Amino acid sequence: MRKLQTTFFIFILSFICHAWSYGEGLLSVKNILQRPFSLSAEHVSTWEKDGVRTFVGNKNVKIFQGPFQITADATVCWFHEEEARHRKEATVEVYCEGNVTILIDENYENYEQVYLTFETMTGIVVNPDIQPIETFEEAQEMEVVVRGEAIRSKGEEEYLSMDEVVDVSDSGVSRGEMIDIIADSIDSWEEGDKRVIVALGNVKIKRMDTEIHADNVILWLDREGLDDSFSAGLPLSEIYAEGNVTMRREEDLLIADRIFENVREEKGILLDAQIKTSVQATQKKHGASITDIRVREKGHSSSAQEELPINIGGDEILHAGKGQYEIKNGVMTTCGYGHPHYHFKGKKIRLEQKGVHNYISSKHNVFYLDKYPVGYFPYFSLDVKKKEKLLENWELGSSSRFGSFLRTDWNLYVLTGGQQKEWSSLLLKLDYLQDRGLGTGLDFEYEGKDIFGYSDTYYIKDFGDNDINDIPIENTDRGTVLWRHRQSLPYGWRLDMEYSYLSDPGFLREYFQREFKTEKDRETVLYLRKLQDTTAMTFLINEQFNGFDTTVDSLREENYAERLPEVAYRIIGEPIWNNRLIFTSESKVTYFNGSFDRKELSVDPQPVTRIDSVNRVSMPLKPWFFRVKPYVEGRVTGYTESIDTSGHDPKANDSAAGRFAGSFGFDMSSTHWRTYSVYNDFLKINRLRHIFVPELRYMYTPVVTKDPNRLYQYDEIDALDFSQVLVFGVKNKLQTKRGRPGLEKAVDFVNFNVDYYLFPTNDGITNDGINGIIVRNDNFINLDFKCKITDALTFISERNEFNTAEFQFDVLNSGIEINHSPDWHYFVGHRYIRDVSSTLSLAVDYRINEKWSVFGIEKYDLKSFVEESDDAEELGDKRNLKTNVVLSRYFHDWVGSITLELDPVRDDSSLRFDITPKGLEKTQRRFWF
């Protein structure tokens, strides 16, 4: 203990001395509210720029911070995210407009526009009432943001206005519209109530969002009811253009020999014409929408999609109304060549443009490759803005585990059309595996105003004998059903539901390897929650209908416990005693019906009702330049059943038991910074800013009244035991500025973090209960280092663990990343895990030219550590873990890829070929990982 006291004294002394040397860079302290800042609205969108996170809320906006409340129609909140990482205080600038009401206790005031600044020590909570948060990569030019930025730029601390907000929405074409005309010759005259303009030779006309190029153009302008001044601008009535006519209107391009349009009625005719319309490029999103859940869980690409042109042509195109075109005996293709490599010929093609949708429907269609007919479709309908294709994706190849295979995904809504495409999608999976059989399934996704979800099914009659690791296949009927659903309910409640069925424990591991490794556990769940200010109420029913652990062979926790049900009430960061103290509490009542474990237990878990309540009181302090947060915590737990350990062998069904666990501790940190005038052309260093954050954390649990061996082990609460942990940490960051003069941006040149974990009494984070899991009780140092040497070269060494008791690394990672966009990207890395593996990873992504690219990855275990046994391999055996090479060829509309995968761990090798339209998201492959 004396050694510990000496170490602690030396650390505090060096801490104070270092802080003194950084005195001029200490962050200032402001009087702020110790309450969380809360924002809720029906719809919330967000993006980050230059260290500031912007939130935009629309409809039923509510802002809370302690007794202070604001309601409004719309709001913009600027959260200084980067600044909050280095300070305990978080600054939030708020602009509200439309029926703004400010409430403080029982007093209120009404305004139309309000700008205020808030500060909080306990964070920001954003809770959309109906739709998930919509996240953008780039800042959005919304009208409410523009108005807010204008007021924010004034530099005033607050702004209160009764003036109504002026809506800048477009009200349509005015009678004073201007038309720009450029031509070799222009003449005009009046005919009755019309003014006629004739433009001859290289004509260029620009009117609002329409631009026309042609050899000759005649315009008719309506003078009825207007004065005689031509300069006032006359409304356009009709247009006739001939000779190499191109008309660009928003995203569409119309090409024709001749065009006549009645502008007033939005009708016309195009002769020997072609319409080019594009699939709209979509923004990358990270919010919790149904599409994004699929991206995260199934590995879809989430990058921005390229535009894909749709070309429709015919001898005569009828413009039947606003956004409506009809073509008899027309042609449709996505090939951009003058003589398309493939196309559809339809007896009657219709194009209907509605808002963000472009619907194309066609009857009696023949599909041509070059000039040869190869297929017939009686009818199809698709929305080209959604990039709908009948055959979404297909792959052909051969695998040592499955034989030759063909995988296809078919979009059923392309055949049926209809309004269901507005809120759902339906995909049919058809697969042929030579050695295993035919597989089929349906993927159904849906999304409404306040609900979204999806359902996946798959079935195969498996003719194989063994799965991975030579596990015999007992049931040939194999498959899965998965349904996940989320819905917003009245009074602030949200419902999450999941149903999962698996035919056998090995099905996911064999057929859906990536989902098996990366998805959450498959389970049947009903979960209700309600968040309000600093409180939360939850209701959970969790049962495993499959009758086995669905995470077998994964790296997740060993124990899976069913909760039937669990009711919880939480208080998060509630200030008490005039904001001097912070109170946090969690109380739960749980009925455990059973559990699934991967190892044989001495005592099988029994049905148990557990009541648990943990309460913590902390006191945030700021002595001098430190931030100190001491706390005291108590946990009371009661069980209806316990384990009898009085005899030699533990026995089940002992009497009811109770337990109290008391703990205390503190968190202490301080933030300092200093700027140095350092310059280096080779490393592109333009001055350096050093941010230094020393930390000290102490956690001690001296009182636990019940041995965890006497309790059934369902989760970490039951495993709670005596523990004492002391953590010394230092976070270092070196920042510089890089970029062209005037456009420099702050860059993290070096990040170096050290955390030293000490267990003074050898009572670490342990669980000596039935499961026998020991998490950690030996002293170790956690090291993270990252250096962006140049814009293209980065050295990374993160999540390293050095065991100070045995004075060697338990985990050591290092890697060099070279990124020279857009041509090539390399990575070389090494991962060492003591007594487990020493793995070398190589990856390269090289764009050979505009048409060809190659990607490769290699993982090789230099030294596999194997426990000694009679039939074990020799220690130090080297082996290949994975080899993957992808060669891609870019065509004008398609991407073709040849993929070679060697997987000795899975005992599988495959060679496959696939073709995917440019811009379409790659759906997750099956049968490999």
Side-chain angles (χ1 to χ4, degrees):
M1 182 62 70
R2 180 178 299 274
K3 181 179 179 182
L4 174 62
Q5 293 174 348
T6 304
T7 303
F8 180 73
F9 175 76
I10 294 174
F11 176 79
I12 295 297
L13 181 61
S14 61
F15 187 34
I16 295 174
C17 294
H18 195 92
W20 181 267
S21 66
Y22 274 68
E24 65 183 56
L26 296 179
L27 298 179
S28 61
V29 181
K30 299 180 180 180
N31 295 323
I32 60 176
L33 291 173
Q34 297 178 351
R35 299 286 186 101
F37 178 90
S38 175
L39 164 66
S40 65
E42 288 190 8
H43 178 268
V44 178
S45 56
T46 183
W47 60 85
E48 189 273 338
K49 182 179 181 182
D50 298 333
V52 177
R53 168 70 59 180
T54 303
F55 293 95
V56 178
N58 291 294
K59 294 185 179 180
N60 297 327
V61 174
K62 297 178 183 179
I63 294 174
F64 301 92
Q65 189 173 25
F68 195 94
Q69 301 181 33
I70 301 178
T71 62
D73 293 338
T75 186
V76 184
C77 300
W78 296 272
F79 172 53
H80 294 258
E81 193 172 47
E82 182 66 25
E83 177 184 310
R85 294 172 184 168
H86 311 304
R87 300 177 54 193
K88 190 169 185 178
E89 304 87 353
T91 302
V92 186
E93 299 176 73
V94 176
Y95 167 75
C96 298
E97 67 177 29
N99 300 316
V100 183
T101 302
I102 301 177
L103 301 94
I104 304 177
D105 295 327
E106 297 179 356
N107 303 316
Y108 68 92
E109 296 180 0
N110 295 323
Y111 299 95
E112 286 298 322
Q113 289 179 293
V114 168
Y115 170 80
L116 297 169
T117 301
F118 293 82
E119 288 187 341
T120 176
M121 294 177 64
T122 53
I124 177 172
V125 178
V126 180
N127 183 33
D129 292 337
I130 296 180
Q131 296 179 343
I133 297 177
E134 187 176 21
T135 306
F136 299 95
E137 277 198 339
E138 298 180 355
Q140 304 298 299
E141 295 184 359
M142 302 178 182
E143 289 190 4
V144 64
V145 177
V146 174
R147 288 191 289 267
E149 291 283 4
I151 295 176
R152 183 184 177 214
S153 64
K154 296 179 180 180
E156 301 177 3
E157 291 190 3
E158 64 178 40
Y159 176 85
L160 306 172
S161 174
M162 302 293 295
D163 297 335
E164 292 187 4
V165 179
V166 180
D167 191 3
V168 197
S169 60
D170 183 11
S171 59
V173 179
S174 67
R175 294 188 64 82
E177 62 179 322
M178 300 302 297
I179 302 173
D180 295 331
I181 304 174
I182 300 175
D184 296 339
S185 175
I186 301 177
D187 193 8
S188 69
W189 62 85
E190 293 184 10
E191 291 183 356
D193 59 358
K194 303 284 187 182
R195 173 168 288 277
V196 182
I197 301 177
V198 177
L200 305 176
N202 300 315
V203 181
K204 295 180 182 179
I205 297 176
K206 189 172 183 180
R207 167 189 172 263
M208 298 180 62
D209 58 355
T210 301
E211 188 174 335
I212 301 174
H213 292 206
D215 293 340
N216 305 305
V217 176
I218 302 177
L219 306 177
W220 286 268
L221 293 88
D222 198 347
R223 291 188 53 84
E224 184 178 2
L226 297 180
D227 55 39
D228 295 332
S229 172
F230 174 71
S231 61
L234 302 177
L236 184 61
S237 176
E238 297 173 335
I239 300 175
Y240 172 77
E242 65 178 19
N244 301 313
V245 183
T246 60
M247 178 184 293
R248 186 174 296 277
R249 181 181 294 150
E250 296 181 350
E251 298 175 0
D252 300 335
L253 178 64
L254 284 69
I255 302 174
D257 182 60
R258 288 175 290 171
I259 292 179
F260 174 78
E261 269 211 357
N262 187 317
V263 179
R264 275 188 171 184
E265 299 179 2
E266 295 191 85
K267 295 182 178 180
I269 188 169
L270 296 80
L271 301 179
D272 193 11
Q274 185 179 16
I275 300 176
K276 293 186 176 183
T277 186
S278 299
V279 176
Q280 188 179 26
T282 59
Q283 298 263 4
K284 183 179 179 179
K285 298 183 178 180
H286 300 284
S289 69
I290 180 61
T291 302
D292 300 314
I293 287 179
R294 306 290 283 171
V295 168
R296 288 195 299 270
E297 293 186 351
K298 305 200 77 174
H300 294 187
S301 168
S302 57
S303 59
Q305 304 170 5
E306 301 175 4
E307 291 191 353
L308 185 65
I310 305 294
N311 303 319
I312 307 170
D315 295 335
E316 182 179 300
I317 299 178
L318 178 65
H319 188 183
K322 184 177 180 179
Q324 298 181 9
Y325 299 90
E326 296 181 0
I327 308 103
K328 291 184 178 180
N329 300 321
V331 175
M332 184 184 70
T333 182
T334 59
C335 180
Y337 279 48
H339 297 284
H341 299 98
Y342 55 90
H343 64 273
F344 281 93
K345 278 189 176 180
K347 190 172 183 180
K348 187 173 184 179
I349 301 176
R350 289 184 176 180
L351 169 62
E352 186 174 1
Q353 299 173 319
K354 291 183 177 180
V356 296
H357 303 282
N358 276 2
Y359 297 105
I360 294 180
S361 60
S362 182
K363 297 180 179 179
H364 303 294
N365 309 280
V366 179
F367 181 67
Y368 286 80
L369 288 176
D370 196 11
K371 58 182 179 180
Y372 304 103
V374 295
Y376 173 77
F377 298 89
Y379 175 80
F380 69 77
S381 174
L382 68 155
D383 182 358
V384 297
K385 285 289 183 72
K386 286 188 175 180
K387 298 186 180 181
E388 293 180 325
K389 303 182 69 66
L390 177 62
L391 181 58
E392 289 279 358
N393 192 31
W394 64 274
E395 290 177 338
L396 177 69
S398 177
S399 165
S400 58
R401 295 196 59 79
F402 301 103
S404 299
F405 59 81
L406 173 64
R407 168 194 176 276
T408 60
D409 294 331
W410 300 86
N411 187 346
L412 297 184
Y413 281 171
V414 170
L415 297 176
T416 61
Q419 295 301 315
Q420 71 275 14
K421 292 186 292 183
E422 292 291 320
W423 56 270
S424 65
S425 65
L426 185 60
L427 196 70
L428 173 65
K429 296 175 287 192
L430 292 177
D431 304 322
Y432 167 74
L433 287 76
Q434 183 182 23
D435 295 342
R436 308 300 285 268
L438 295 175
T440 183
L442 286 174
D443 286 359
F444 177 68
E445 298 184 7
Y446 56 92
E447 184 170 7
K449 183 179 179 181
D450 56 358
I451 65 171
F452 61 93
Y454 63 87
S455 172
D456 287 356
T457 63
Y458 196 83
Y459 169 80
I460 185 171
K461 188 77 171 179
D462 198 334
F463 299 132
D465 297 325
N466 298 290
D467 274 348
I468 302 171
N469 300 330
D470 295 327
I471 298 177
I473 299 174
E474 298 179 357
N475 186 4
T476 59
D477 294 314
R478 311 183 70 184
T480 179
V481 177
L482 175 65
W483 173 56
R484 287 174 178 157
H485 172 87
R486 173 172 290 180
Q487 182 170 355
S488 296
L489 301 175
Y491 306 106
W493 286 92
R494 192 183 78 183
L495 170 66
D496 290 330
M497 292 190 296
E498 175 180 334
Y499 171 78
S500 172
Y501 165 78
L502 289 171
S503 59
D504 56 85
F507 176 77
L508 285 181
R509 181 183 53 189
E510 182 76 3
Y511 287 94
F512 295 86
Q513 183 69 229
R514 189 186 299 272
E515 288 87 339
F516 172 73
K517 286 191 170 185
T518 60
E519 267 193 10
K520 66 178 288 297
D521 302 346
R522 295 286 183 95
E523 53 194 348
T524 299
V525 175
L526 187 148
Y527 179 67
L528 279 166
R529 79 162 199 188
K530 180 179 181 179
L531 303 178
Q532 185 173 0
D533 297 335
T534 59
T535 63
M537 293 176 286
T538 62
F539 176 83
L540 172 67
I541 295 178
N542 188 349
E543 188 170 6
Q544 188 58 269
F545 284 161
N546 294 299
F548 51 81
D549 182 8
T550 63
T551 64
V552 62
D553 286 353
S554 72
L555 300 179
R556 301 183 180 95
E557 293 181 358
E558 293 195 9
N559 192 300
Y560 173 87
E562 295 181 324
R563 290 163 167 81
L564 299 171
E566 179 179 272
V567 181
Y569 179 77
R570 298 173 175 88
I571 301 175
I572 306 170
E574 176 66 27
I576 57 177
W577 194 23
N578 293 328
N579 296 333
R580 293 186 181 94
L581 301 177
I582 303 296
F583 177 68
T584 299
S585 173
E586 182 179 37
S587 300
K588 295 189 289 188
V589 178
T590 310
Y591 176 74
F592 294 101
N593 190 43
S595 68
F596 298 92
D597 200 286
R598 296 182 214 153
K599 55 170 53 177
E600 185 177 349
L601 305 178
S602 57
V603 178
D604 293 331
Q606 303 294 321
V608 172
T609 298
R610 185 183 72 190
I611 302 175
D612 178 75
S613 179
V614 56
N615 301 272
R616 172 181 291 200
V617 177
S618 59
M619 179 184 290
L621 303 172
K622 292 209 70 174
W624 200 10
F625 47 77
F626 294 100
R627 292 187 296 271
V628 184
K629 188 177 180 181
Y631 71 88
V632 178
E633 181 178 287
R635 181 186 290 272
V636 178
T637 312
Y639 300 83
T640 58
E641 298 280 348
S642 63
I643 299 174
D644 182 6
T645 59
S646 59
H648 180 72
D649 295 325
K651 297 180 180 179
N653 299 326
D654 200 5
S655 60
R659 182 196 65 189
F660 173 77
S663 61
F664 63 88
F666 64 86
D667 296 337
M668 184 172 67
S669 65
S670 182
T671 302
H672 317 276
W673 60 267
R674 172 175 280 181
T675 302
Y676 300 93
S677 297
V678 178
Y679 302 88
N680 186 287
D681 293 336
F682 176 74
L683 297 177
K684 294 184 178 180
I685 296 177
N686 179 15
R687 295 182 299 175
L688 285 174
R689 178 171 63 179
H690 181 201
I691 301 173
F692 171 76
V693 184
E695 297 177 329
L696 177 63
R697 302 191 298 275
Y698 180 66
M699 298 155 281
Y700 186 33
T701 305
V703 179
V704 179
T705 61
K706 183 70 67 175
D707 184 353
N709 286 290
R710 292 205 58 194
L711 305 175
Y712 291 104
Q713 299 293 297
Y714 289 103
D715 55 29
E716 67 279 359
I717 295 176
D718 308 317
L720 185 63
D721 204 352
F722 301 103
S723 65
Q724 186 174 194
V725 183
L726 181 64
V727 182
F728 298 94
V730 178
K731 290 182 170 58
N732 291 276
K733 180 180 291 186
L734 287 175
Q735 293 181 323
T736 188
K737 286 194 172 183
R738 291 175 179 171
R740 293 181 295 175
L743 300 175
E744 298 96 339
K745 291 186 178 181
V747 176
D748 293 341
F749 177 55
V750 172
N751 282 280
F752 181 43
N753 301 326
V754 180
D755 290 307
Y756 185 18
Y757 287 79
L758 291 169
F759 304 93
T761 58
N762 291 327
D763 290 329
I765 310 171
T766 62
N767 170 12
D768 294 326
I770 295 175
N771 290 330
I773 304 171
I774 299 178
V775 178
R776 194 111 206 189
N777 65 352
D778 51 345
N779 301 338
F780 68 96
I781 299 176
N782 189 81
L783 299 167
D784 292 320
F785 180 81
K786 183 177 181 180
C787 179
K788 195 171 182 63
I789 303 172
T790 67
D791 291 337
L793 180 63
T794 303
F795 175 78
I796 305 172
S797 181
E798 296 178 329
R799 292 179 296 174
N800 303 304
E801 293 184 6
F802 183 79
N803 191 316
T804 57
E806 302 184 19
F807 210 74
Q808 59 180 317
F809 277 97
D810 289 335
V811 179
L812 181 61
N813 302 300
S814 60
I816 295 177
E817 184 178 18
I818 305 174
N819 188 2
H820 194 280
S821 299
D823 295 332
W824 46 268
H825 182 195
Y826 299 142
F827 177 79
V828 179
H830 177 256
R831 179 173 178 83
Y832 168 82
I833 303 177
R834 184 160 64 101
D835 297 336
V836 177
S837 66
S838 177
T839 304
L840 179 66
S841 299
L842 304 172
V844 58
D845 191 352
Y846 179 59
R847 182 164 184 155
I848 303 172
N849 52 43
E850 293 183 355
K851 294 184 177 181
W852 292 92
S853 70
V854 62
F855 168 80
I857 185 171
E858 169 66 30
K859 290 185 178 181
Y860 192 83
D861 200 340
L862 299 174
K863 191 175 184 180
S864 300
F865 299 90
V866 182
E867 294 183 2
E868 295 187 12
S869 61
D870 295 337
D871 56 349
E873 300 178 17
E874 295 182 1
L875 294 177
D877 185 33
K878 301 178 178 64
R879 61 172 179 168
N880 181 33
L881 299 180
K882 184 177 183 179
T883 302
N884 188 7
V885 179
V886 182
L887 180 64
S888 299
R889 170 64 159 87
Y890 298 90
F891 300 92
H892 55 284
D893 285 338
W894 303 79
V895 180
S897 299
I898 299 176
T899 302
L900 171 65
E901 284 193 9
L902 304 177
D903 192 343
V905 177
R906 187 177 162 83
D907 190 24
D908 186 21
S909 60
S910 64
L911 177 67
R912 62 181 181 272
F913 172 70
D914 63 90
I915 290 182
T916 305
K918 274 188 179 180
L920 278 180
E921 291 185 356
K922 291 283 289 184
T923 54
Q924 179 55 52
R925 298 178 174 88
R926 298 187 285 279
F927 322 131
W928 43 77
F929 67 102

